[in-house]
Amino acid sequence: MFEARLLQGSILKKALEGIRELITSGNWECSSAGISMQGMDPSHVALTVLMLQNDLFDQFRCDRNVTLGLNHATFSKILKCAANDDIITLKAEDQPDECNLLFQSANDDKTSDFIIKLTDIDQETLGIPDTEYAATVKVPSVEFQRICRDLSQFGDTIIISVKKGCVEFSGTGEIGSAKIALKESGNVDDDEKVSVEMDKDTPCSLSFASRYLNYFTKATSLSDTVTLQLCPEHPLVVSYDIGDNGSLKYYLAPKIEED
Amino acid sequence: MFEARLLQGSILKKALEGIRELITSGNWECSSAGISMQGMDPSHVALTVLMLQNDLFDQFRCDRNVTLGLNHATFSKILKCAANDDIITLKAEDQPDECNLLFQSANDDKTSDFIIKLTDIDQETLGIPDTEYAATVKVPSVEFQRICRDLSQFGDTIIISVKKGCVEFSGTGEIGSAKIALKESGNVDDDEKVSVEMDKDTPCSLSFASRYLNYFTKATSLSDTVTLQLCPEHPLVVSYDIGDNGSLKYYLAPKIEED
Amino acid sequence: MFEARLLQGSILKKALEGIRELITSGNWECSSAGISMQGMDPSHVALTVLMLQNDLFDQFRCDRNVTLGLNHATFSKILKCAANDDIITLKAEDQPDECNLLFQSANDDKTSDFIIKLTDIDQETLGIPDTEYAATVKVPSVEFQRICRDLSQFGDTIIISVKKGCVEFSGTGEIGSAKIALKESGNVDDDEKVSVEMDKDTPCSLSFASRYLNYFTKATSLSDTVTLQLCPEHPLVVSYDIGDNGSLKYYLAPKIEED
């Protein structure tokens, strides 16, 4: 028996917005630790990892590990039937072929009960090696979304460069070129501000496919801040924290510059 | 001579929103009692009946009965030229081939004068037999709109079931199934609340084409509350009251279950 | 060296909205007096003239006259990357083949640097003869936009008629006819109000292509008021003032009535 109740049901709605266009269907692995889902996009370029720890839920019970193979288009359609302040409960039997979703309105006048058929998805879970990142940058998630969208007009590559106290995003194309710089703010406690941490103060500059960065920013509503972790020859990590008990992370390999 | 002045011109705009997609053109019958229009959709499945009593208008004069054959696409285009707080006056001669629409802005700085050509529409008025309904349900109109839209994702049929103190809407399709329940509220005076009245406390469950229910909800802005009247083997009635002096009602026969 | 800094960068964004659909590319002529651009639409029907005087800019330097041949689709794409409260600086060398655009956020945390390639545009500047207009009408720009849009539903011609204390816009088509009258307000100092000035009190009525009037109203956000100047057998002038130091003007010849 698996049952997990999320008071802030909107978290699940927002998380699915960040997933459904990249991963058509995925195995949602439920264990006593929480729920996790990972998957590659159809072109096997970007890895998406969602983690919802048991503490995120006000009620959480998972007697045995359960795998919920969910079609994300269907899951998203159903979640759109939930109001933003609905309480959402996920339920499944121990060896389920369907999953139950219950939405309760804040005033309890309306209850919606959905049954989704599950799919068998053949997928292995990848281990993600620990990396020492050369640079870790936090920027307001809305600002990152806007920059990725703006630079996509110039070309299909966005270069992210981290320098002391500053992160630069740039792009070049037929119509011209663009360089957008965000300066580190004085007060780094503020969520609305930019912070830049560098290992050994070495500047770091890497190129990424703007198409994927734009996909990642579909998760913008999950968090006020997005964290970018860069390391030469390693995938970029784009992380949206879900409070203190969850995260949605994207991994994207840098483009190799053609000489 | 026919002349009717509506201080709250937005009522006419909203009523037409609830009509124009279902009925391409209709005879607006003007008499000393008020204005009425009825029509079937092109597939002859749903009957729409609009009634605007003379008391709804602050000035109303109708010397002889007049029939205004109006193309609803044209009528709607013209009404979209009225601001929401405009005063709207309808005028026509006794045997008109055109109808006059006058919009006056709240501060009287702007007056708009429109002439619509009338059409001959061959249409007989249907009598609607009195029915004793097994169940009468009032729900917030916005909630009904949302439920019809949400359940349409699951299939082309929505089942409405009335039980003691509760109305349930459900649907089933390839992607899964859904059941949405609205509970009767304690305080039934409140327009935002749900009320359920049943004849003889017999539960009643009927199936309807979701496509038509969605058409009906185009009238949502006319009223905070929508009333559903159900009776086995009789058409469902979906009513939006226009204050105390008018209504827009839709009649839709239940689907016959295939065994 | 040319450099012009505009504290209210949104002015440039709004001006381009009023230009880009009518003129695909244009020569922006920079001199010590300011920046001007004029061009005909591809069908050579309407003339558009933008004038930004040096006083509009808080910093303005133009050592030698410079012509910036700009593709307006590209220019508009880049300006959409500016926030509404950004400071915008335009820069170019004396004989430039590219132009520099710098956007600075209000709090200076974000700077965006764009380079646009310039185009050679073969275009001569037209002189606009002085005309004594028979009528000058000021109306709220939003009202003018709405009227042009509403009347376009009736046909491709809008007749503008100026009478004592009143301006009328009318149109006729297959679905019927429409006449919208705006009355002069008592207090003509108010920007939200209508004022009508006539030379010799002779009424004046001219026909124009609604398609072009609708293009002109893309500049609506530039100014609360739009000024219409009419004279029989002369082009209509539709002017949007940019504060006291600039304007966007459109010239459109009246339609010749077919007898």
Side-chain angles (χ1 to χ4, degrees), chain B residues 178-247:
Chain B
K179 187 166 69 186
I180 300 174
L182 298 179
K183 273 190 280 186
E184 195 170 24
S185 335
N187 182 1
V188 290
D189 292 341
D190 189 342
D191 257 15
E192 299 285 310
K193 299 290 178 172
V194 173
S195 82
V196 176
E197 273 176 52
M198 293 170 70
D199 187 44
K200 299 174 201 147
D201 283 355
T202 324
C204 167
S205 181
L206 295 165
S207 300
F208 301 97
S210 50
R211 200 163 83 87
Y212 284 94
L213 296 179
N214 276 313
Y215 276 132
F216 303 164
T217 63
K218 306 277 181 193
T220 296
S221 63
L222 266 181
S223 177
D224 289 340
T225 306
V226 61
T227 305
L228 312 178
Q229 290 172 289
L230 295 100
C231 190
E233 286 161 50
H234 282 77
L236 165 75
V237 190
V238 177
S239 315
Y240 295 88
D241 284 343
I242 302 172
D244 295 326
N245 300 303
S247 63

Side-chain angles (χ1 to χ4, degrees), chain C:
Chain C
M1 170 85 187
F2 164 70
E3 185 168 342
R5 194 173 87 149
L6 190 60
L7 289 182
Q8 255 188 290
S10 60
I11 288 175
L12 204 55
K13 291 172 66 116
K14 292 171 184 173
L16 218 76
E17 280 309 291
I19 290 170
R20 67 180 175 83
E21 289 186 39
L22 271 172
I23 311 173
T24 51
S25 57
N27 283 328
W28 292 59
E29 306 287 354
C30 310
S31 71
S32 56
I35 304 174
S36 69
M37 192 282 303
Q38 66 161 250
M40 299 294 289
D41 69 287
S43 314
H44 282 258
V45 172
L47 173 67
T48 301
V49 180
L50 174 71
M51 171 59 66
L52 306 172
Q53 291 168 30
N54 54 12
D55 289 347
L56 193 66
F57 301 87
D58 80 307
Q59 290 177 14
F60 193 90
R61 172 182 163 187
C62 188
D63 303 338
R64 284 182 51 177
N65 288 3
V66 171
T67 298
L68 306 175
L70 287 167
N71 175 298
H72 291 156
T74 303
F75 196 15
S76 168
K77 271 188 188 175
I78 289 176
L79 285 173
K80 282 189 176 155
C81 301
N84 280 328
D85 53 357
D86 276 3
I87 299 167
I88 295 184
T89 305
L90 289 165
K91 273 191 228 180
E93 299 300 318
D94 274 352
Q95 291 188 328
D97 53 12
E98 60 185 35
C99 169
N100 216 267
L101 272 151
L102 183 70
F103 306 156
Q104 288 164 279
S105 66
N107 62 7
D108 203 35
D109 275 3
K110 179 181 177 184
T111 53
S112 307
D113 211 331
F114 295 89
I115 295 166
I116 321 181
K117 290 173 192 153
L118 299 178
T119 339
D120 273 327
I121 301 167
D122 190 18
Q123 196 180 54
E124 55 180 329
T125 302
L126 302 171
I128 297 147
D130 277 343
T131 306
E132 298 231 337
Y133 288 98
T136 299
V137 176
K138 285 181 202 289
V139 296
S141 57
V142 170
E143 192 64 83
F144 180 62
Q145 181 180 41
R146 168 124 211 209
I147 289 171
C148 292
R149 194 191 61 205
D150 285 349
L151 290 181
S152 304
Q153 299 185 99
F154 289 86
D156 51 11
T157 299
I158 293 176
I159 302 169
I160 305 180
S161 307
V162 186
K163 300 175 185 175
K164 204 167 154 46
C166 172
V167 55
E168 265 178 26
F169 303 86
S170 53
T172 303
E174 274 186 36
I175 65 168
S177 69
K179 187 166 69 186
I180 300 174
L182 298 178
K183 274 190 280 185
E184 195 170 24
S185 336
N187 182 0
V188 290
D189 292 340
D190 189 342
D191 257 14
E192 299 284 310
K193 299 291 179 172
V194 173
S195 82
V196 176
E197 273 176 52
M198 293 169 71
D199 188 44
K200 300 173 202 147
D201 282 355
T202 324
C204 166
S205 182
L206 294 166
S207 300
F208 301 98
S210 51
R211 200 163 83 86
Y212 284 94
L213 296 180
N214 276 312
Y215 276 131
F216 303 163
T217 63
K218 306 277 181 193
T220 297
S221 63
L222 266 182
S223 176
D224 289 339
T225 306
V226 60
T227 305
L228 312 177
Q229 291 172 289
L230 295 100
C231 190
E233 287 161 49
H234 282 77
L236 165 75
V237 191
V238 177
S239 316
Y240 295 88
D241 283 344
I242 301 172
D244 294 326
N245 300 303
S247 63
L248 180 51
K249 294 187 188 221
Y250 303 96
Y251 297 81
L252 177 66
K255 281 188 159 186
I256 310 303
E257 308 285 318
E258 289 155 32
D259 294 312

Side-chain angles (χ1 to χ4, degrees), chain A residues 13 73-74 76-84 105 107-117, chain B residues 143 146-147 149-151 153-154 173-185 192-194:
Chain A
K13 291 172 66 114
T74 303
S76 168
K77 270 187 187 174
I78 290 176
L79 285 174
K80 282 190 175 153
C81 302
N84 280 327
S105 66
N107 63 6
D108 203 35
D109 275 3
K110 179 180 177 184
T111 53
S112 307
D113 211 331
F114 295 89
I115 295 166
I116 321 181
K117 290 173 193 154
Chain B
E143 193 64 84
R146 167 124 211 210
I147 289 171
R149 193 191 61 204
D150 285 349
L151 290 181
Q153 299 185 99
F154 289 86
E174 274 186 37
I175 65 167
S177 68
K179 187 166 69 186
I180 300 174
L182 298 179
K183 273 190 280 186
E184 195 170 24
S185 335
E192 299 285 310
K193 299 290 178 172
V194 173

Side-chain angles (χ1 to χ4, degrees), chain A:
Chain A
M1 170 82 187
F2 164 70
E3 185 167 343
R5 194 173 88 149
L6 190 60
L7 289 182
Q8 255 188 290
S10 59
I11 288 175
L12 204 55
K13 291 172 66 114
K14 292 171 185 173
L16 218 75
E17 280 308 292
I19 290 170
R20 68 180 175 84
E21 289 185 39
L22 271 172
I23 311 174
T24 52
S25 57
N27 283 329
W28 292 59
E29 306 287 354
C30 310
S31 71
S32 56
I35 305 174
S36 68
M37 192 283 302
Q38 66 160 250
M40 299 294 289
D41 69 287
S43 314
H44 282 258
V45 172
L47 173 68
T48 301
V49 180
L50 175 71
M51 171 59 66
L52 306 172
Q53 292 168 30
N54 54 13
D55 289 346
L56 193 67
F57 301 88
D58 80 307
Q59 290 177 14
F60 193 90
R61 173 183 163 187
C62 187
D63 303 339
R64 284 182 50 177
N65 288 4
V66 171
T67 298
L68 306 176
L70 287 167
N71 175 298
H72 291 157
T74 303
F75 196 15
S76 168
K77 270 187 187 174
I78 290 176
L79 285 174
K80 282 190 175 153
C81 302
N84 280 327
D85 53 357
D86 275 4
I87 299 167
I88 295 183
T89 305
L90 289 165
K91 273 191 226 179
E93 298 301 317
D94 274 353
Q95 291 188 328
D97 53 12
E98 60 185 34
C99 169
N100 216 267
L101 272 151
L102 183 70
F103 305 156
Q104 289 164 279
S105 66
N107 63 6
D108 203 35
D109 275 3
K110 179 180 177 184
T111 53
S112 307
D113 211 331
F114 295 89
I115 295 166
I116 321 181
K117 290 173 193 154
L118 299 178
T119 339
D120 273 328
I121 301 166
D122 190 19
Q123 195 180 54
E124 55 180 330
T125 302
L126 302 171
I128 296 147
D130 277 344
T131 306
E132 298 231 338
Y133 288 98
T136 299
V137 176
K138 286 182 200 289
V139 296
S141 57
V142 170
E143 192 64 83
F144 180 61
Q145 181 181 41
R146 168 124 211 209
I147 289 171
C148 292
R149 194 191 60 205
D150 284 349
L151 290 181
S152 304
Q153 299 185 99
F154 289 86
D156 51 11
T157 299
I158 292 176
I159 302 170
I160 305 180
S161 307
V162 185
K163 300 175 185 176
K164 203 166 156 47
C166 171
V167 55
E168 265 179 25
F169 303 86
S170 53
T172 303
E174 274 186 36
I175 65 167
S177 68
K179 187 166 68 186
I180 300 174
L182 298 179
K183 273 190 280 186
E184 195 170 24
S185 336
N187 182 1
V188 290
D189 292 340
D190 189 342
D191 257 15
E192 299 285 310
K193 299 292 179 172
V194 173
S195 81
V196 176
E197 273 176 52
M198 293 169 71
D199 188 44
K200 299 174 201 146
D201 283 356
T202 324
C204 167
S205 181
L206 295 166
S207 300
F208 301 97
S210 50
R211 200 163 84 87
Y212 284 94
L213 296 180
N214 276 312
Y215 276 132
F216 304 163
T217 63
K218 307 278 180 192
T220 297
S221 63
L222 266 181
S223 176
D224 289 339
T225 306
V226 61
T227 305
L228 312 178
Q229 291 173 290
L230 295 100
C231 189
E233 286 161 51
H234 282 77
L236 165 75
V237 191
V238 177
S239 315
Y240 295 88
D241 284 343
I242 302 172
D244 295 326
N245 299 304
S247 62
L248 180 52
K249 294 186 188 221
Y250 303 96
Y251 297 81
L252 177 66
K255 281 188 159 185
I256 310 303
E257 309 285 318
E258 289 155 33
D259 294 313

